[in-house]
Amino acid sequence: MNCQKVLQYLEDKIDMDHLDMVEKTIEDALSYKKVDFIPLSVTFPQTEFQALPYVEAFNDMESMFYNELVSCINTVCVKDYSLLVARSNYGVGTLPSLFGLKSRVVQSTNLPWVDHVELNEIKNIISKGVPDLDTGFGKRIIETYEYYREQLSHYEKCNESIKLYHPDLQGPFDVAHLMWGADIYMAMYDSPGLVHELLSLVTETYIEYMKMIKPYLNDERGNDYSYHWGTLYRGKIVLRNDSAVNVSKGMYQEFIQPYDERILEEFGSGSIHFCGRADQIVVDMAYTKGNEAMNFGYMDNVQFGEEYLNLLKKPFMEKNIPIINYHLTQEEYKNYKNTFDTGITLKTSVDTYEEAVSILRK
């Protein structure tokens, strides 16, 4: 593991003109402007550098930086429509850690999980209000970004093109779910007032912590876009709503949407992500005040493809809500019928470098 070797490799390979073109094309696509080619990110198993097991990155910021840099290799090799980014990556437990909750790596190659607490501790957390933001991962995340910035400063093109983007703060309901566990779903019926108190606290903590770390990032592109997950997103933050897929439309509107809107209002605008499908709330979520784009995490056991795009097309196009890095299998991409010919960026994965080059020439 040698960050300098990866940095020098990237420095030699980065094509600034290509990255400028990619940014402009993505901006046009996300603004529903006509594009000659729908931006496509292609992943393939590169062999130049191998990522370390996540558990090593979790315990050592140099190893974490190495893994973040390795994730940029595909982009400079194949010159697809991805961008170069890095983040302080301590997982979904970042915000819960500020309240004293612990994260643990269950499997060495997987991101960590959070050990939730029981009802009495939830009440205790609420009674204390917004926590000390230097506790848990709070200070460590800032130190990690400072380390990244110092390392990047010795490589001109890397320093300019590798954007440091905000860590995974999830969204208010996701954080509350991580803290309380599955019992929060029953509490939405049995103790709705307490759930709202927790969500209010998490929302204010999210806002305060995001404001604290923003000066250490360079993830904003003007007022309308931000760098995140290897591409551009609309707005200045990306909220996660994975836990929301389990709730009804009415519960979503009561317990989730208002708190998302509070955060989006504070930062001007943003985008929303969730994994899988949530057909019962996806349009409501897309129409959240302050939301300007959607991203859907791909899952092998869920039907996506153009079938899902056909479901989304009318409501999304009516409000010019773009879809970011929509995953298509290699076969689905080859047969893509341009359900969206703009207002979307795409993502696929292939087995070899040669296949990646070929698919980009479609």
Side-chain angles (χ1 to χ4, degrees), residues 1-6 49-53 56-57 60-67 69-70 147:
M1 186 270 292
N2 189 314
C3 289
Q4 283 66 46
K5 285 186 178 180
V6 189
F49 299 93
Q50 296 304 307
L52 300 168
E56 295 184 33
D60 173 61
M61 66 176 66
E62 183 180 4
S63 298
M64 183 174 288
F65 188 43
Y66 174 84
N67 277 2
L69 294 173
V70 169
Y147 172 76

Side-chain angles (χ1 to χ4, degrees), residues 59-342:
N59 293 313
D60 173 61
M61 66 176 66
E62 183 180 4
S63 298
M64 183 174 288
F65 188 43
Y66 174 84
N67 277 2
E68 294 296 300
L69 294 173
V70 169
S71 71
C72 297
I73 298 295
N74 274 19
T75 300
V76 299
C77 284
V78 78
K79 290 187 178 181
D80 62 353
Y81 285 75
S82 299
L83 297 171
L84 307 176
V85 298
R87 67 172 171 175
S88 182
N89 189 18
Y90 293 94
V92 298
T94 296
L95 216 62
S97 78
L98 302 182
F99 297 100
L101 278 78
K102 304 298 183 183
S103 291
R104 56 191 170 94
V105 179
V106 180
Q107 294 183 347
S108 65
T109 55
N110 290 353
L111 289 167
W113 195 243
V114 178
D115 291 324
H116 67 267
V117 296
E118 300 301 323
L119 176 60
N120 285 341
E121 183 57 23
I122 291 294
K123 291 179 178 178
N124 185 42
I125 287 170
I126 292 171
S127 71
K128 293 178 179 179
V130 174
D132 179 353
L133 301 180
D134 284 333
T135 57
F137 294 127
K139 186 177 181 181
R140 177 74 170 173
I141 281 173
I142 289 175
E143 292 171 344
T144 303
Y145 282 120
E146 289 177 326
Y147 172 76
Y148 288 4
R149 178 54 60 211
E150 194 281 327
Q151 293 295 305
L152 287 168
S153 67
H154 304 290
Y155 300 86
E156 183 178 358
K157 289 195 287 186
C158 289
N159 195 40
E160 181 178 348
S161 61
I162 298 177
K163 307 300 183 181
L164 304 185
Y165 69 107
H166 76 69
D168 187 354
L169 301 190
Q170 292 288 293
F173 188 73
D174 276 19
V175 172
H177 176 214
L178 288 166
M179 293 170 65
W180 201 336
D183 286 352
I184 195 172
Y185 293 111
M186 293 302 296
M188 293 163 75
Y189 293 92
D190 298 335
S191 307
L194 193 63
V195 175
H196 281 296
E197 286 185 65
L198 179 60
L199 288 167
S200 294
L201 174 60
V202 169
T203 299
E204 292 310 308
T205 304
Y206 182 112
I207 290 169
E208 292 304 313
Y209 188 66
M210 184 68 82
K211 286 180 177 179
M212 188 172 92
I213 62 175
K214 272 289 187 181
Y216 299 92
L217 312 177
N218 60 345
D219 59 348
E220 294 181 12
R221 179 172 167 84
N223 292 321
D224 299 326
Y225 299 91
S226 59
Y227 299 88
H228 207 90
W229 277 330
T231 189
L232 288 177
Y233 277 68
R234 297 279 308 195
K236 296 184 178 181
I237 61 166
V238 180
L239 289 170
R240 277 74 156 165
N241 261 333
D242 300 306
S243 300
V245 302
N246 299 316
V247 305
S248 67
K249 179 173 180 174
M251 286 296 193
Y252 169 75
Q253 291 172 336
E254 179 182 351
F255 288 97
I256 300 170
Q257 195 168 42
Y259 299 99
D260 289 350
E261 289 180 342
R262 168 77 181 91
I263 292 173
L264 292 167
E265 178 184 24
E266 185 68 36
F267 294 100
S269 62
S271 300
I272 296 177
H273 155 90
F274 66 86
C275 287
R277 286 178 58 162
D279 295 14
Q280 78 280 17
I281 57 172
V282 64
V283 174
D284 290 87
M285 197 181 296
Y287 286 6
T288 296
K289 185 178 180 181
N291 176 55
E292 295 193 348
M294 294 296 297
N295 169 258
F296 309 107
Y298 179 73
M299 301 173 72
D300 291 336
N301 62 341
V302 177
Q303 178 65 48
F304 283 99
E306 262 180 299
E307 174 188 304
Y308 193 45
L309 290 180
N310 281 319
L311 176 70
L312 302 176
K313 182 174 182 177
K314 185 175 185 292
F316 276 49
M317 287 187 172
E318 282 180 356
K319 299 285 187 178
N320 281 349
I321 302 292
I323 300 171
I324 297 174
N325 271 12
Y326 187 78
H327 188 280
L328 295 173
T329 66
Q330 188 174 358
E331 190 65 26
E332 287 170 340
Y333 181 73
K334 288 178 179 178
N335 296 312
Y336 184 60
K337 299 180 177 61
N338 280 6
T339 301
F340 285 73
D341 58 6
T342 188

